[in-house]
RNA sequence: CGGGGUGUAGCUUAGUCUGGUAGAGCGCCUGGUUUGGGACCAGGAGGUCGUAGGUUCGAAUCCUAUCGCCCCGACCA
């Protein structure tokens, strides 16, 4: 039992000026965190307790045996957070990752300046664990293995946001699985997915697993765990069939599988379009060529070489989908880069064979499937002020490869069920990746099988943003008065409000109840402060302890105490004599509800 | 990094346009009265107005630079 008067819970009546969203305001008002600087937070005693509860449950769920997958759970270890930069340079994503990494300099190290940093602060640990496993595991007998840690991560986010939601230093559970083959890696992946689902369920968070883009991590497939919330950074696309994907990854069955190639409608014809540089201008009078019959040609630079992406004029590029093309780094090309290759400025670009000034410079022409719906359409002539009509997809466009590059829209048919797609915002609290051999190849993490053959290990990597989850819980579970903690992660499960702490019989009662609750498995906070009742009630609601007990001088005279769950409005009055047993029973019932 | 906003006491802020030497509420300290939903009265402490220059007789206020923070965009647990 903690006595509030000897503890430290600095609550605030007013919201801090720099907090915008409910969970951020409550985080600070309830005394869970304090800001040091943008994206850097101190966990105050109450906030730390929640972090510890989240971590403990996370450990239990990760280490639990997964009988259905015939393998042991994950194994905890602890890796350094200062990494020699050479390991990152050797890894597969240095070019992309270095931007978000904090680097160390040599200040205070008694050395001169070096040109390159020697150490970086770890944003995640693939580059550390893979060499470790390469060194320690060489036999199939030692596989599979899944290692994890719960530790601080450092990312120099371009824009930290919303308190713990996107911080520069944050707490993450990161796990890495190593399997002998792909089938094993899939098992490990599914076992982790099951562990994640169990974890989020236990902590009282409604998180849904959605298909996700693999981004800079690479790998073959991945799921994100999303907490639905208006303030979330991500769009979840879903349908009532159960399909759910991050917008970056989402697709639709807009183009029928059996769609035949359109026959040419006539010879390609050039026409003058002076001053027309947008899809909208061409769609307007006097041209009146609707966006869904125009070909939009975008130019990107992939690892230094230009490539083209063709979409319907009415569609938007989903940039993340270009990741499937295999470039390490890509970005939109500048007008200066475009003109020498295509022969025109943006606004008159096209991919019709023979109109591209320097086709040899291109790394490829990638077309979205949806342009097949156009069949015959209009595109730029690669000559400023001119467009081409009667352009036929199969006859006239020099397409290297078709793919899914467009951003889906709600209302389009779900790729699984055909039901209309819907969209909602979500907070990404966890992510799992099946990595394949990408890192194992780079670091030479191989093992020998029972035929004396050497193979790369097949990896998976997994993350849960523990500190972000803490805030997501608040975002998902609060009301106008404060936080409503789920039982399992509450900093304390029971709050005893002693309205008259100076009354010896009240204090005696409080201690008796606290002992009963603790024996039943609850953590107890005793508000023994010399404050007026109103202050105690307001604070109680604000910090959101699930079960509140009120011991007041008046009630005690009538032989009763009060019991009120934070989540409900009902106050139960209980006879003093029955109180300890009743409280213990309630505690056990609640605890069972979250471990069952 | 682009766009927008903001910086005054521990917190929330007024004052800035129109220059005259900083005010409130909360919190804190002392005393008293109170005590079931953020009490009241009296007294008190606390501010180089983000920082550095400049204009001016005089700058929180005008100008320049710089830093921090917040929001929107591209990135991420």
């Amino acid at each position: 039992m903690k006595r509030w008067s000897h503890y430290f819970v600095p609550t605030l009546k007013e919201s801090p000026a720099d907090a915008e969203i409910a969970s951020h305001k409550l985080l600070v008002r309830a005394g869970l965190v304090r800001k040091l600087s943008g994206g850097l937070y101190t966990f105050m005693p109450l906030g730390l307790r929640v972090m510890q509860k989240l971590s403990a449950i996370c450990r239990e769920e990760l280490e639990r045996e997964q009988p259905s997958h015939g393998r042991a759970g994950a194994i905890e270890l602890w890796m350094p957070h200062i990494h020699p930069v050479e390991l990152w340079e050797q890894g597969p994503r240095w070019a992309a990752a270095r931007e978000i990494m904090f680097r160390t300099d040599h200040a205070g190290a008694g050395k001169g300046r070096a040109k390159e940093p020697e150490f970086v602060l770890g944003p995640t640990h693939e580059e550390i664990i893979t060499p470790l496993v390469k060194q320690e595991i060489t036999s199939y007998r030692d596989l599979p293995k899944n290692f994890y840690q719960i530790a601080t991560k450092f990312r120099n986010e371009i824009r930290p946001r919303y308190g713990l939601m996107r911080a520069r230093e944050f707490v993450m559970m990161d796990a890495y699985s190593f399997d002998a083959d792909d089938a094993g890696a899939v098992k490990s992946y599914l076992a982790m997915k099951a562990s994640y689902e169990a974890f989020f369920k236990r902590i009282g968070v409604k998180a849904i697993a959605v298909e996700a883009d693999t981004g800079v991590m690479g790998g073959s497939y991945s799921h994100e765990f999303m907490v639905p919330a208006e303030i979330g950074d991500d769009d979840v696309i879903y349908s009532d069939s159960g399909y759910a994907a991050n917008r970056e990854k989402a697709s639709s069955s807009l183009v029928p599988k059996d769609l035949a190639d359109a026959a040419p409608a006539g010879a390609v014809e050039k026409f003058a379009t002076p001053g027309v540089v947008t899809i909208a201008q061409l769609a307007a009078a006097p041209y009146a060529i609707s966006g869904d019959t125009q070909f939009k040609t975008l130019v990107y630079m992939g690892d230094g070489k230009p490539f083209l992406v063709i979409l319907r004029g009415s569609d938007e590029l989903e940039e993340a989908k270009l990741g499937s093309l295999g470039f390490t780094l890509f970005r939109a090309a500048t007008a200066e880069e475009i003109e020498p290759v295509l022969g025109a400025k943006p606004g008159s670009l096209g991919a019709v064979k023979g109109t591209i000034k320097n086709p040899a410079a291109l790394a490829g022409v990638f077309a979205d499937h949806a342009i097949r719906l156009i069949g015959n359409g209009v595109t730029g002539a690669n000559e400023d002020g001119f467009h081409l009509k009667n352009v036929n997809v199969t006859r006239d466009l020099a397409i290297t490869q078709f793919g899914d590059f467009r951003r889906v829209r709600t209302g389009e048919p779900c790729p699984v069920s055909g039901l209309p797609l819907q969209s909602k915002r979500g907070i990404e609290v966890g992510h799992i990746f099946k990595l394949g051999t990408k890192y194992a190849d780079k670091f030479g993490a191989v093992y020998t099988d029972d035929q004396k053959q050497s193979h790369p290990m097949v990896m998976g990597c997994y993350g849960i943003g523990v500190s972000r989850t803490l805030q997501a819980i608040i975002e998902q579970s609060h009301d106008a008065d404060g936080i409503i903690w789920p039982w399992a992660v509450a900093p304390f499960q029971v709050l005893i409000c002693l309205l008259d702490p100076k009354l010896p019989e009240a204090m005696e009662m409080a201690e008796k109840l606290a002992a009963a609750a603790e024996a039943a498995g609850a953590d107890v906070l005793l508000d023994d402060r010399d404050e007026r009742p109103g202050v105690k009630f307001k604070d109680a609601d604000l910090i959101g302890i699930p079960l509140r007990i009120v011991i007041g001088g008046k009630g005690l005279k009538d032989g009763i105490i009060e019991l009120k769950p934070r989540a409900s409005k009902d106050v139960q009055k209980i006879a003093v004599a029955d109180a300890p047993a009743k409280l213990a029973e309630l505690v056990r019932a609640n605890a069972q509800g979250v471990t069952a």
Side-chain angles (χ1 to χ4, degrees):
Chain A
M1 178 188 72
K2 287 265 190 284
R3 289 170 199 271
W4 195 315
S5 64
H6 298 167
Y7 200 50
F8 194 61
V9 187
T11 58
L12 299 174
K13 278 189 189 175
E14 285 172 297
S15 293
D18 58 9
E20 196 89 352
I21 63 169
S23 56
H24 186 190
K25 289 176 182 169
L26 290 173
L27 213 44
V28 179
R29 282 191 58 208
L32 298 167
V33 302
R34 286 294 183 260
K35 184 170 77 175
L36 172 66
S37 177
L40 302 174
Y41 288 85
T42 295
F43 285 93
M44 303 297 277
L46 219 51
L48 181 62
R49 287 186 71 96
V50 179
M51 290 293 284
Q52 287 167 339
K53 298 221 166 175
L54 284 169
S55 302
I57 295 170
C58 190
R59 283 189 179 94
E60 280 182 37
E61 290 305 327
L62 290 177
E63 296 190 9
R64 198 185 290 278
E65 298 280 329
Q66 302 280 352
S68 61
H69 295 87
R71 52 179 293 278
I75 304 159
E76 187 168 17
L77 46 60
W78 178 273
M79 291 177 270
H81 300 108
I82 298 179
H83 301 171
V85 74
E86 290 79 8
L87 286 172
W88 280 85
E89 288 169 342
Q90 193 185 338
R93 55 173 170 169
W94 171 236
R98 59 185 305 175
E99 289 175 30
I100 60 147
M101 298 179 68
F102 286 106
R103 330 237 181 119
T104 64
D105 63 21
H106 293 75
K111 290 187 186 174
R113 290 187 73 84
K115 278 181 190 151
E116 278 290 306
E118 287 183 335
F119 294 99
V120 292
L121 297 186
T124 168
H125 281 72
E126 285 79 3
E127 277 77 356
I128 309 306
I129 190 89
T130 312
L132 176 78
V133 168
K134 166 198 159 69
Q135 189 177 297
E136 300 299 330
I137 297 182
T138 52
S139 160
Y140 74 99
R141 294 172 194 274
D142 290 325
L143 295 175
K145 283 282 181 287
N146 187 343
F147 297 106
Y148 80 98
Q149 61 177 350
I150 298 176
T152 305
K153 293 285 175 280
F154 302 89
R155 294 189 190 172
N156 196 4
E157 292 292 345
I158 304 160
R159 185 153 89 84
R161 208 149 78 103
Y162 292 157
L164 301 179
M165 208 56 90
R166 192 182 340 173
R168 294 197 285 184
E169 180 182 321
F170 60 97
V171 175
M172 179 164 119
M173 184 296 297
D174 50 321
Y176 308 89
S177 66
F178 295 83
D179 277 272
D181 55 26
D182 203 66
V186 170
K187 268 191 177 178
S188 295
Y189 182 90
L190 292 175
M192 282 301 270
K193 189 159 176 275
S195 296
Y196 272 42
E197 280 158 359
F199 168 72
F200 287 116
K201 183 164 179 246
R202 255 185 86 183
I203 64 171
V205 167
K206 203 170 61 184
I208 51 174
V210 311
E211 291 178 25
D213 182 67
T214 53
V216 69
M217 298 301 301
S220 39
Y221 58 89
S222 88
H223 283 86
E224 284 171 353
F225 284 77
M226 298 285 212
V227 174
E230 276 309 306
I231 55 90
D233 273 350
D234 296 86
D235 285 316
V236 178
I237 304 290
Y238 66 100
S239 82
D240 292 334
S241 71
Y243 172 80
N246 187 306
R247 194 200 65 206
E248 294 180 350
K249 169 81 176 178
S251 62
S252 71
S253 52
L254 188 67
V255 184
K257 282 200 176 65
D258 54 357
L259 182 71
D261 289 339
V268 173
E269 208 177 301
K270 183 153 84 175
F271 63 105
T273 51
V276 170
V277 292
T278 64
I279 301 288
Q281 284 172 325
L282 204 54
Y287 309 103
I289 298 161
S290 82
D292 54 13
T293 61
Q294 297 184 41
F295 298 103
K296 173 154 67 183
T297 308
L298 302 172
V299 188
Y300 270 74
M301 300 297 286
D303 298 334
K305 285 189 80 174
F307 65 92
L308 304 185
V309 184
I310 310 175
L311 299 157
R312 291 194 304 173
S314 50
D315 284 337
E316 293 295 322
L317 172 66
E318 185 60 66
E319 210 169 72
K321 290 182 177 176
L322 297 180
S324 66
L325 296 175
F327 298 107
T328 308
L329 280 179
F330 58 84
R331 59 170 172 84
T334 63
E336 292 71 36
E337 288 165 333
I338 292 170
E339 211 172 344
V341 179
L342 291 186
K345 295 188 180 69
S348 307
L349 305 180
V352 174
K353 294 171 190 167
T355 67
I356 298 168
K357 190 175 174 186
N358 183 7
L362 292 175
V365 178
F366 304 98
D368 185 78
H369 292 299
I371 68 163
R372 296 177 58 225
L373 293 169
I374 301 177
N376 295 285
V378 172
T379 191
N382 287 329
E383 191 178 335
D384 291 341
F386 291 92
H387 279 75
L388 302 172
K389 60 181 159 190
N390 292 333
V391 172
N392 180 269
V393 171
T394 35
R395 182 190 63 188
D396 301 320
L397 297 175
I399 293 162
T400 315
Q401 185 189 318
F402 279 94
D404 176 23
F405 303 115
R406 63 185 291 275
R407 175 172 298 182
V408 297
R409 292 205 172 84
T410 56
E412 289 176 4
C414 162
V416 176
S417 64
L419 294 169
L421 291 174
Q422 297 168 264
S423 153
K424 61 184 163 193
R425 303 288 283 175
I427 302 164
E428 183 188 346
V429 288
H431 206 154
I432 55 179
F433 297 88
K434 182 166 162 287
L435 282 173
T437 60
K438 181 175 173 177
Y439 288 85
D441 289 339
K442 281 282 183 185
F443 288 103
V446 297
Y447 70 94
T448 306
D449 69 11
D450 57 358
Q451 307 295 313
K452 302 178 185 170
Q453 296 298 304
S454 183
H455 304 280
M457 297 178 202
V458 186
M459 292 174 58
C461 71
Y462 316 88
I464 291 176
V466 180
S467 45
R468 178 184 282 180
T469 299
L470 184 158
Q471 189 171 346
I473 293 170
I474 299 174
E475 191 63 32
Q476 197 173 65
S477 183
H478 70 270
D479 63 16
D481 295 315
I483 302 168
I484 304 172
W485 286 115
W487 185 270
V489 300
F492 296 91
Q493 279 75 42
V494 174
L495 173 67
I496 300 177
C497 285
L498 249 190
L499 298 190
D500 303 284
K502 284 173 187 149
L503 272 183
E505 61 267 38
M507 181 60 85
E508 198 179 308
M509 187 70 217
E511 284 170 352
K512 198 183 287 178
L513 286 172
E518 284 183 334
D523 292 327
V524 179
L525 178 62
L526 173 63
D527 189 352
D528 60 340
R529 294 175 299 168
D530 183 20
E531 288 286 355
R532 294 167 62 85
V535 172
K536 296 192 177 197
F537 291 140
K538 287 289 183 187
D539 274 345
D541 288 343
L542 181 59
I543 68 171
I545 306 304
L547 206 51
R548 187 186 82 188
I549 289 165
V550 177
I551 301 175
K554 289 176 185 169
L556 227 43
K557 266 180 209 151
D558 301 337
I560 56 149
I561 58 128
E562 289 166 22
L563 197 149
K564 177 184 169 297
R566 173 64 179 86
S568 96
K569 287 192 163 61
D570 306 330
V571 177
Q572 297 178 48
K573 294 186 191 298
I574 296 174
V576 163
D578 304 337
K582 180 94 182 168
L583 176 59
E585 184 190 317
L586 249 173
V587 167
R588 284 195 200 96
N590 272 294
Q592 201 149 47
V594 298
T595 48

